[in-house]
Amino acid sequence: MTRQEAREFLMKIIFQMESNDDFKEESILKYLKQENNRGQELYLSSKLKYLCQHKDEIDEEINKYANKWTTKRMAKVDLAILRLAVTELKGDDIPVSVTINEAVELAKKYSEEKSASFINGILSKIEHE
């Protein structure tokens, strides 16, 4: 599994977690067992653990820059992409430009036409903070 595939898989997990309202750390293994994630176990588990521990702060940051939108009103797929990207931005192992570009590409693939620019705008504001 490449890092790009792992990121896409992680976005799908975050989407499921939101749909199930299940951001408990104990659930991480259940979600990770859905696919063979060889070579990306550390990336996946560390990002999910961080998200579970800091979900409220991540959502606050998204809300701060979402310009009249809140996480409660956003499409679940856009929210999953944003949560993944903000989680990556909080780490120091992935270049900011890569994180933003990958989030935009996920939005182009999985969401509406306008979502890519919406996500890019929020992440660019967070980057400049």
Side-chain angles (χ1 to χ4, degrees), residues 11-129:
M11 183 273 299
K12 292 175 183 178
I13 291 173
I14 295 169
F15 179 89
Q16 287 180 338
M17 293 174 100
E18 174 64 22
S19 297
N20 296 328
D21 192 26
D22 181 15
F23 287 91
K24 297 182 289 275
E25 282 186 65
E26 308 86 67
S27 300
I28 291 173
L29 287 177
K30 169 181 75 174
Y31 290 107
L32 290 178
K33 288 181 181 180
Q34 295 175 22
E35 189 169 309
N36 180 355
N37 51 40
R38 67 184 184 285
Q40 297 296 331
E41 297 88 356
L42 181 60
Y43 166 79
L44 292 167
S45 61
S46 68
K47 297 306 175 196
L48 280 177
K49 185 175 181 178
Y50 184 90
L51 174 63
C52 289
Q53 291 172 345
H54 301 281
K55 180 183 157 291
D56 291 339
E57 295 118 56
I58 290 168
D59 286 357
E60 283 177 33
E61 191 150 9
I62 293 168
N63 286 330
K64 181 178 175 182
Y65 295 105
N67 194 22
K68 299 181 183 179
W69 281 88
T70 65
T71 54
K72 297 204 183 312
R73 289 185 55 219
M74 288 179 194
K76 283 182 174 53
V77 71
D78 293 352
L79 181 56
I81 294 167
L82 282 166
R83 283 176 173 159
L84 168 59
V86 173
T87 299
E88 283 190 344
L89 290 173
K90 296 300 177 184
D92 58 358
D93 56 336
I94 301 169
V96 172
S97 60
V98 171
T99 294
I100 293 174
N101 184 57
E102 290 290 328
V104 169
E105 291 303 315
L106 284 170
K108 287 178 182 177
K109 184 173 181 178
Y110 287 100
S111 197
E112 298 179 21
E113 188 176 320
K114 295 180 181 180
S115 292
S117 60
F118 174 70
I119 287 170
N120 186 47
I122 292 172
L123 295 176
S124 295
K125 291 175 188 175
I126 292 172
E127 173 194 9
H128 294 298
E129 181 182 88

